[in-house]
Amino acid sequence: MSLITHPHLDAPDDFYEDLIEAHQGLSADESHAFNARLLLLLANHVGSRQVLREALAAAAVPREEPSLLPDFSNPP
């Protein structure tokens, strides 16, 4: 299995709204802790160390090089 880097998320705007809502009322530290818990839950769901390493590498790409990150403004 390889990391999916093309838009693959059902209703990305709705998910983004849910994510922002989940952070409402949290302090910066609580927000960081929430993100860490969410990341670990999703990493457990993915399950593949290879895919997770690909995701770490893709996330490390500077913003000037967004080619590995999904562009939800232009679905396939």
Side-chain angles (χ1 to χ4, degrees):
M1 175 181 0
S2 294
L3 180 67
I4 299 169
T5 58
H6 64 274
H8 186 71
L9 185 62
D10 292 343
D13 291 337
D14 293 339
F15 172 71
Y16 184 74
E17 185 177 316
D18 294 341
L19 183 60
I20 296 303
E21 186 176 309
H23 285 267
Q24 294 297 317
L26 300 180
S27 69
D29 286 343
E30 291 169 332
S31 181
H32 293 307
F34 174 89
N35 282 338
R37 289 190 302 273
L38 179 61
L39 178 117
L40 291 172
L41 286 166
L42 293 173
N44 184 66
H45 181 76
V46 169
S48 167
R49 188 169 181 201
Q50 172 193 340
V51 172
L52 293 170
R53 284 182 166 178
E54 290 176 34
L56 289 169
V61 172
R63 293 182 71 121
E64 299 82 41
E65 302 175 34
S67 61
L68 293 178
L69 302 176
D71 179 2
F72 292 108
S73 63
N74 294 317

